[in-house]
Each structure stands twice: as structure tokens, then as C-alpha cells.
Amino acid sequence: MEALRPGDPEKIGGYECVGRLGAGGMGEVFLARAEDGGLVALKLIHADLAEDAAFRARFAREAAAVRRVSGPYTAPLLDTGDVPRPWLATAYLPGLSLDQAVTRHGPLSVEATRRLGAVLAEALGAIHRAGVVHRDLKPANILLTADGPRVVDFGIAGGPDIGTGDGTAGRPVGTPAYMAPEQITGGPVTPAADVFALGGVLMFCRTGSPPFGTVRLPEPLDRVVRARPYDTDDAGLREVVAACLAENPVRRPSTDQLTTVLPPGATGTGWLPAPMAHDIADQADSIPPSTQAGPRLRRRVLLRISGVGAAALAGMGVVRALGGAEPPAASVLWAARATAVTGYELGPALHGRLFLLDRTVVTRSGGARLDLCCLDTATGRYRWRRPLTPFDRERGEVVAGPGGVWVRSTRELHAIDPDSGTVRWSQQRAFPGLVPAAAYGVGVVYDVGPALDSDDAGTVYAHEPRTGRVVWERRVDGRPVGPLVIARGVLYVISASARGRWERVHALDAATGGVRWMSGFADEDVVMAPPFAPNYTDATLSVADDTVYVSVEGRHVHALDARTGSARWRVRPQLNIEPVLGRPYPSAAFPVTAGNTLFLGTGDGVLRAFDIRHGRQRWAVETGAPPAPVGVFRRRFTPVVGHGLVFVRGADSVRALRVGDGGVRWERRTDPSAGEPVLAGGTLHVPGKWEVTSHDPVSGRVVQRLDLRDYHRSPTAVLAGEGALYVLAGVDAVVAVGLPG
């Protein structure tokens, strides 16, 4: 990066320019800072081109092209504008271009080249699926970052074979040394031209020079035939390069074919030579001079960069004691970027991996790209990102098990390889309930969907995890409405009638799908007086010892014998009435047992305790939590139980209540917008407005504190992992914190 020159703009479209990143035929590229401290790469087209109406149209197509492209190996478009001249802003990716890296440190190894080739094939595949041809893939347009390689600069992108009246049709557009023969002649350009360029890039990786040396137009087409042979000991890589550089575009492989013959793509920098990786890390850690004025701003900028190390975070003051006799600061392990992810989309953490759904805002006007991300729990670096397109943008849940990870939305189920992020298989299947979810058993993935021939029936599916093959399927009465629960070889499914007048539980053999039992209609003998009639849309259950406890929106709770399904008892809590409509506040929080007590949180903000032997209510406590609609805040109303206490979150405090009588053991103030408390490592972790405090569960004493005040970020969610806590800070950072002791 260079310093700004006299006459350079200080501000463009609300972004403060802080340095120069380069220039090209279309315009200049500046490093710019948004109001929140985030860094972007902002391209401003040249003044003479801005006067050309045809070029403005081409630039608009460029922006539209970039907006359509998404994927883990491209730079997302963040913003566009036309004052003072047309410009666009993409994510700033600190690192080295492939051109710089090879020039400084020498050619890559065969294995590194093969892994980079897989990345480029996948990136080009995402570009082509968006209906775009890059047209200028070259080492200078491939960035090596701390999170992995990225393909950038869609400055001459367009649809296949553009011919739009702006003077570009019929003219060779691109960098001659990497252009396909059809580009040189100005003929039709298809995705095969990018594959040709990919072959040239792979030769550059191994030799340090372009595949055909210095090329200037016009150049004879027989240059492909005259090109020096690519000499390598790796026959497989030699064949890939030769196929990509075929003169006839029809003979070149597709990007999908390339991904099948190349190894898994590269993430992070561990696949690169150590000097090159260190150089990339230095670029990621460097701060533009104009951001050095305030240490607080400098820290905010760095927190937005993925993979910030724990030592750097500690040095920047992300976590600190609040002064005086306050408890010690939490031990930060790492921090990583996560854009606009919600608390319900953080997790799970399993076998050294943290999964999350990352919703990247593409433009101010709306629209989002949803990625499934996998972070290494030891380092915080992204192992991979997988765009889920198309995907329901409203809701998604992630399930992980040995050898696989599955994502369920309201419309589909995706099975994804946990090592590479590739999609193994997908099922287009509507989820009939409110909160989409799948379940993993022993070597089986379970899902539900509606029956095709009836509104009052559903189907349960058992899939082989790696292939998606249906092992068995079982039709059930009613619509499946709640989460699937597996316990002791039994799969429990709750269903309800289409009109919501009854619900029942199905206990299926998890291995075969055989019906062990079905409960009776829980509401068949209940007649409700007008104007209110039950309309069950969500339900939950839990299994403890030999009993199944079912809550249907908190309107009624019943206990079933886990062996036979016969009802042991049934109660209808007296829920508080919603003042406007005169109806009870429902909620489908999970029932939780401890000893001989069943706890149930309901949407009216009340925690109730029942005797598990006969269902008689022991006590009820107003938590102060605001009412919530069905299916939205299961976690908020599901109590945390341990150490002879039940921990509840109210409007502005967390209280520890005695299990026996509901009396308050201790209480601590918190913020109404904070996330839910988590019990992990023998400690209760409570999110507040600007911090996460870890308490001794019995006394309430604070034993450590994670402070996020300097960043004006609230802890949105806390997730317990293997020996660590993962804190979602605001909507753009995940911080891993060590457990006390």
C-alpha cells in the first residue's frame, strides 16, 4: 500500500480514503475505512472514462456481475455509488498477490500448486454459476490471505460472449499472457477461457513465469502449439495443465471436473512455504498509517480481521480487568470475523471444529449470502466456507456428528463434508414446523417432511450420512411440528393435526423405523370455549429415566411412559393472558428435569416447577422476561439447572433459584438484550451489555470477566465447547475464551 498522493480524494461515498492499493486500466484502487472502522478496497474509475456513457454502462454491468458472485474464495461486493464518479467497494483482503508471493519467494511445490488449483477451480465455478466469465484470471488477481486464497478484480467481467454496443465486443479483453486463443481473436468467450487462464496460472506457480513468456498483441495463434512443454515429475499435474491449455475450448475440462481430480482446496496459509506464510501474516497484521492516530480505532479495525491471534488480542486490550478489586480478565484464545450471524446460528462445536452460519450483507438495499463456516477451534482460522445457495435466508439450523455436518432450512437439507466443506448431497424438502432442524443418531441422519397426499400426515426419513440414501421412511399421523429427539435407540417425533386440535408423540425404532408406540390424542377430550381454540404449531419433549415429558407450547404438559407411551399425568398450566387478544402467551421451551422436579419456562415469563411423580405444580416464579411468540425463544425460556439450583434470565438480571422452593439464592444484574447464560466447566457464564462474567454457581461470585466495552459490542450469544467458550460479539466477531481454572 502507498500513501495518498496530492489531489487524491479524502472521502468517497461515505468512506474515508487512507491509502492507495494500486491502479489499472479502468481506475484507481484505494484503501478506505467505513464509519465503523471496517476496511474496504474501493475502486474509483478514471475521470476520462466517467464521461463515456458506454463505459458507465459497462461499469454498471461489472457491479451487477460482482453482486451475483458468491463463494468462499472471492471478495464480496459491499457497496457501489456514482459520486463523484462511479465506484465500488469490496472487502479489503490483506495479503500478497500470487504474483508478489512467487516473485519474492520462488515457485510453489507440486502439492501447493495442486491445492491452489482446486481453490481456483471452485472459485471459477462459483463465478460461472452466477452467469459471469472473469476474463482476466492471472497471478496478480489471486490474493493469498491469512484465511486462504481469493480471486479478485472482476474489472472486465461480463456474461459469456458480451456484445452490448459499448465497443467491447470483438476486441480482445484481458491480459495477453493468460488469454485464451478465442479471446485474442475477439471471438465468443465462454467459461472455458477462464479454464485456459487457470492452466497458465498453474504453470506460473511451478515456473515463476507466464506460460508463453511475454505476449503482445497481435500474437500468432500457434503460440499454444509452440509453447514450451511443462516439465514436472508429477504426471497428474502435467495432464491437468495440458488439458486446461488445450487450443480448442471444447477440449478443456470444466471446473467441476477439475475439482474431482485435484486434492481438497487450500485454506489458511499452512499449505505454503513458511517464509511466504510469514510474509502474508505480516501483511494481515500491518495497519495503514492513517489509522494509527488512535489506539482504540486501531484495535477496532484489527478485530474485524479473521484469525487475530490471542497474544495480539491481549496486547490490544480486548480483554481487561475493570479496575480495582475486579476479577481477573478472561484468557482470550483467538478471535475471528463472522458477519451478521445470529446467536441461533452459532454452533455446534465438535471434534476441533466450530460451525456457524455467516450471513454476509452484499448491498445496502438488501439481500444476503449465507455461508456455512468451519473454524479451527485451536486457532480460530477458517478451515473453509461453503455458500449455501439457494438457501432460506430466514432460518437455519446446523447439526454435526462423527464424519458429517448437516444444515436444515425450511426448504432443504444439505449434507456437507466436515473436512473440505464440499456438499455431499442435498434434499429439497419443506420443513412442516416453525424451527427447522434435523437430528443425528448412530450412523443415521433423521429428517421430516410433509406427506404429499395429505395435510394431516407427515413423513420421517432416515438417511445414510455420506450418500443421502434413504435407509427407511415412516408415515406419521399429523404434521411433524417439533424437534426430533433421539434417546436410547428411539426416535421421538411430535405431530399435530392440520387444524391444531390435537397432537401426539410417535416413538420409532431409530435403526429400522418400526413403530414402538404412539401416544393417544392429547387434546381429544378437551373442548375449548370460544373465541379461543387451540392451534398447536410447535412442541418440545425431553426424555429422563423411563419417562417422556412433552410440552405443547406450554399450553399443556404431559408425561408418558417411555416403554409403552401410556399417559402418566397431564396438566394445563394457568398461563398469563395476553392483554390485547385475551389469549395465553405460548412457548415451546424444552422441559428440564432435576431430581424429582420438572422445570418449564413459558412465553409469559414464568418458570414453573412440577413434581415428576404426579405433575402437581410445586411453585411458580415470575422471571421478568418479556413475553415471546411461539418457537422463537426456546433457549431463552429453557432453564439451566445444576448444583441444586435453577438459573433463569429475566428482563435485567440473572437469578439462581433453589430447586426445592424457587427461593432466590443470588441475583446479578445484566442487560435486557444480552444472550442466555451457559453452565460449562463448573461455572455459570452470563452475557451482559458489554461483557461476559463467569460466576461460581453456588455463591454467585464473579471469577473472571471478558470485557468488550472498547469495541461497543454486546455478547449476543455464548456457546460452550471443548474446554472453551465461544462468544459472539455483536454481529461481526467470534471470540474464544478459556474456562476459569
Side-chain angles (χ1 to χ4, degrees), residues 27 123 138 254 262 286 324 376 402 433 451 541 590 620 692:
K138 58 185 178 181
S254 67
L262 292 170
S286 64
D376 188 303
L541 66 80
F590 288 92
V692 176

Side-chain angles (χ1 to χ4, degrees), residues 151-220:
V151 174
V152 299
D153 197 354
F154 296 83
I156 55 170
D161 193 17
I162 59 173
T164 57
D166 65 356
T168 60
R171 287 185 358 201
V173 180
T175 300
Y178 295 90
M179 286 170 60
E182 60 270 25
Q183 280 181 281
I184 293 177
T185 61
V189 176
T190 68
D194 288 343
V195 173
F196 186 95
L198 171 57
V201 169
L202 296 182
M203 280 192 65
F204 173 84
C205 290
R206 291 293 296 131
T207 64
S209 60
F212 311 110
T214 301
V215 178
R216 290 182 173 85
L217 298 181
E219 180 81 5

Side-chain angles (χ1 to χ4, degrees), residues 652-663:
D652 57 1
S653 67
V654 170
R655 283 181 283 173
L657 308 178
R658 293 188 294 269
V659 166
D661 58 7

Side-chain angles (χ1 to χ4, degrees), residues 562-731:
R563 294 164 297 184
T564 65
S566 59
R568 291 183 171 171
W569 51 260
R570 182 180 302 153
V571 297
R572 280 188 172 274
Q574 296 300 310
L575 302 180
N576 292 332
I577 301 299
E578 197 274 328
V580 177
L581 299 178
R583 299 181 178 181
Y585 286 109
S587 177
F590 288 92
V592 178
T593 59
N596 60 1
T597 305
L598 176 73
F599 300 98
L600 182 68
T602 48
D604 56 356
V606 176
L607 177 68
R608 295 173 172 85
F610 304 89
D611 191 302
I612 64 172
R613 293 166 295 188
H614 41 64
R616 185 176 301 121
Q617 183 170 299
R618 288 183 166 181
W619 50 263
V621 171
E622 295 274 355
T623 67
V630 174
V632 176
F633 292 117
R634 281 180 181 165
R635 297 182 188 178
R636 172 148 296 188
F637 293 101
T638 300
V640 177
V641 179
H643 304 273
L645 300 168
V646 55
F647 306 96
V648 296
R649 185 195 182 286
D652 57 1
S653 67
V654 170
R655 283 181 283 173
L657 308 178
R658 293 188 294 269
V659 166
D661 58 7
V664 178
R665 178 68 177 266
W666 56 264
E667 182 174 5
R668 294 292 182 272
R669 299 282 293 181
T670 186
D671 187 78
S673 63
E676 312 311 311
V678 170
L679 190 63
T683 310
L684 185 73
H685 310 277
V686 179
K689 185 173 180 60
W690 302 117
E691 71 284 328
V692 176
T693 50
S694 300
H695 300 255
D696 178 276
V698 177
S699 67
R701 178 177 60 88
V702 179
V703 297
Q704 76 174 24
R705 188 189 307 267
L706 169 69
D707 183 13
L708 298 167
R709 290 182 302 175
D710 284 347
Y711 302 94
H712 300 284
R713 286 174 170 82
S714 298
T716 310
V718 178
L719 175 72
E722 301 167 348
L725 289 178
Y726 306 106
V727 179
L728 178 63
V731 295

Side-chain angles (χ1 to χ4, degrees), residues 16-17 37 86 155 316-317 367 409 462 469 477 561 679 716:
E16 178 192 358
C17 296
M316 290 184 291
S409 77
R469 179 179 63 87
D477 293 332
D561 188 300
L679 190 63
T716 310

Side-chain angles (χ1 to χ4, degrees), residues 344-675:
Y344 286 90
E345 295 169 338
L346 176 66
L350 184 69
H351 301 318
R353 300 175 177 89
L354 171 63
F355 301 99
L356 57 89
L357 290 174
D358 187 315
R359 298 179 183 271
T360 302
V361 177
V362 178
T363 65
R364 291 178 178 177
S365 59
R369 188 184 77 235
L370 186 68
D371 291 352
L372 174 65
C373 303
C374 176
L375 275 67
D376 188 303
T377 57
T379 65
R381 294 198 179 276
Y382 280 78
R383 290 189 173 190
W384 47 259
R385 298 173 68 95
R386 166 57 56 183
L388 300 174
T389 306
F391 195 86
D392 178 13
R393 294 174 177 171
E394 300 300 322
R395 194 86 187 183
E397 297 290 335
V398 182
V399 176
V405 56
W406 298 271
V407 186
R408 187 60 160 104
S409 77
T410 58
R411 297 186 181 92
E412 60 255 329
L413 173 67
H414 293 301
I416 297 172
D417 185 285
D419 295 321
S420 65
T422 56
V423 177
R424 287 174 171 169
W425 51 268
S426 297
Q427 283 284 349
Q428 300 296 314
R429 182 181 296 145
F431 188 83
L434 284 183
V435 184
Y440 176 80
V442 180
V444 182
V445 177
Y446 302 97
D447 188 30
V448 296
L452 299 179
D453 58 350
S454 173
D455 290 336
D456 245 2
T459 305
V460 183
Y461 300 89
H463 294 276
E464 198 281 324
R466 295 192 64 86
T467 66
R469 179 179 63 87
V470 176
V471 179
W472 57 258
E473 60 182 85
R474 174 67 59 184
R475 185 185 178 95
V476 296
D477 293 332
R479 304 180 293 117
V481 294
L484 303 175
V485 176
I486 306 168
R488 298 179 181 177
V490 179
L491 175 68
Y492 296 95
V493 183
I494 310 172
S495 65
S497 68
R499 295 184 179 180
R501 298 308 301 262
W502 53 261
E503 59 80 27
R504 70 192 314 174
V505 178
H506 307 259
L508 308 179
D509 187 289
T512 66
V515 179
R516 294 199 176 183
W517 52 260
M518 291 186 296
S519 68
F521 296 118
D523 220 20
E524 60 185 354
D525 57 349
V526 177
V527 178
M528 302 296 292
F532 174 72
N535 183 24
Y536 299 141
T537 58
D538 204 10
T540 57
L541 66 80
S542 61
V543 183
D545 297 326
D546 60 348
T547 306
V548 180
Y549 300 97
V550 186
S551 168
V552 183
E553 294 183 359
R555 300 182 196 274
H556 74 257
V557 185
H558 54 283
L560 307 175
D561 188 300
R563 294 164 297 184
T564 65
S566 59
R568 291 183 171 171
W569 51 260
R570 182 180 302 153
V571 297
R572 280 188 172 274
Q574 296 300 310
L575 302 180
N576 292 332
I577 301 299
E578 197 274 328
V580 177
L581 299 178
R583 299 181 178 181
Y585 286 109
S587 177
F590 288 92
V592 178
T593 59
N596 60 1
T597 305
L598 176 73
F599 300 98
L600 182 68
T602 48
D604 56 356
V606 176
L607 177 68
R608 295 173 172 85
F610 304 89
D611 191 302
I612 64 172
R613 293 166 295 188
H614 41 64
R616 185 176 301 121
Q617 183 170 299
R618 288 183 166 181
W619 50 263
V621 171
E622 295 274 355
T623 67
V630 174
V632 176
F633 292 117
R634 281 180 181 165
R635 297 182 188 178
R636 172 148 296 188
F637 293 101
T638 300
V640 177
V641 179
H643 304 273
L645 300 168
V646 55
F647 306 96
V648 296
R649 185 195 182 286
D652 57 1
S653 67
V654 170
R655 283 181 283 173
L657 308 178
R658 293 188 294 269
V659 166
D661 58 7
V664 178
R665 178 68 177 266
W666 56 264
E667 182 174 5
R668 294 292 182 272
R669 299 282 293 181
T670 186
D671 187 78
S673 63

